[in-house]
Amino acid sequence: LNRDNLSKIFLQLRGISVGNFNMNCNFRVEAAIEIMIQYKLAILAVQEHTPWNRELLEGEIKAIERHCDHWGYLVTISQLQILIIDKQLKACHRENTIYEDGRIITSRFEISENNFVTFIPVYGVPHSGGEKLQNLFAENPEDIRMQKLRKVRDQLCNIRKALKQTNDIVYVFG
């Protein structure tokens, strides 16, 4: 057996366990890795890693990448989600695609020759609540939420149509 086939056989026998966790703007990479180890997860989607009014700095991104690499994980960082994948799946991993600022991330794996599985962590749009009344002339926050929901729904429909043509096994979570 060549090395590529060993990883595919391993993937087929082991299976893939996935999880998602909303960090409520208190992301710590070591906490995420601890969750993965404790629950034996191969893939973890972390939602709300930082507050909405701030983006991760380049140094923070590099530190997260180095930490994940050191502990044997691949990481994909978007504005709204961080996707952490066990490096044992690296040989089977084919691609990640980020949509809608990271509300949707597709992650495709080849589980055997020309057979694929696609994992799709989805981070929804928060419902209204606790907000101060808006100016009558300002755009309605509920309208903005509905627009975002429609974009996410439409993007998921487009992804589903594309994946129907490839015969991928698909898991949506989040």
Side-chain angles (χ1 to χ4, degrees):
L1 292 176
N2 68 32
R3 189 174 191 164
D4 230 14
N5 286 338
L6 284 177
S7 62
K8 293 174 188 170
I9 292 167
F10 169 78
L11 179 59
Q12 290 170 323
L13 293 175
R14 180 173 178 250
I16 300 175
S17 53
V18 300
N20 68 294
F21 191 72
N22 187 318
M23 289 282 192
N24 198 26
C25 305
N26 292 310
F27 177 72
R28 288 187 2 257
V29 67
E30 60 275 2
I33 291 172
E34 186 177 320
I35 289 168
M36 292 187 76
I37 292 169
Q38 180 179 355
Y39 294 101
K40 298 180 176 117
L41 299 177
I43 300 173
L44 178 64
V46 176
Q47 302 164 346
E48 287 187 22
H49 50 83
T50 53
W52 287 89
N53 61 351
R54 151 175 140 62
E55 291 184 23
L56 288 171
L57 301 172
E58 188 64 33
E60 292 173 309
I61 292 170
K62 293 292 183 200
I64 291 168
E65 291 171 343
R66 278 193 312 269
H67 202 82
C68 286
D69 184 57
H70 174 76
W71 288 98
Y73 296 94
L74 306 170
V75 65
T76 300
I77 300 172
S78 73
Q79 186 177 347
L80 298 173
Q81 290 192 87
I82 294 176
L83 187 64
I84 304 172
I85 301 171
D86 190 316
K87 272 191 179 176
Q88 293 181 65
L89 301 178
K90 187 175 183 173
C92 305
H93 187 249
R94 295 297 173 253
E95 64 183 326
N96 281 342
T97 308
I98 298 171
Y99 303 93
E100 302 299 326
D101 295 326
R103 286 197 186 282
I104 303 167
I105 301 175
T106 61
S107 192
R108 192 169 194 227
F109 297 85
E110 187 171 5
I111 53 174
S112 63
E113 191 170 340
N114 296 319
N115 290 307
F116 297 88
V117 62
T118 299
F119 293 94
I120 308 174
V122 178
Y123 175 59
V125 178
H127 299 283
S128 60
E131 294 180 7
K132 295 181 180 181
L133 293 176
Q134 299 292 318
N135 178 335
L136 290 176
F137 300 106
E139 192 169 1
N140 183 345
E142 198 57 37
D143 290 343
I144 294 169
R145 277 188 268 289
M146 290 305 294
Q147 290 171 2
K148 288 180 184 177
L149 281 169
R150 280 189 207 100
K151 280 184 173 181
V152 169
R153 179 201 61 199
D154 293 347
Q155 188 62 58
L156 284 170
C157 288
N158 292 337
I159 292 168
R160 188 186 80 190
K161 286 178 190 173
L163 290 174
K164 267 189 172 183
Q165 295 174 0
T166 63
N167 269 343
D168 285 21
I169 299 168
V170 179
Y171 293 95
V172 179
F173 63 103

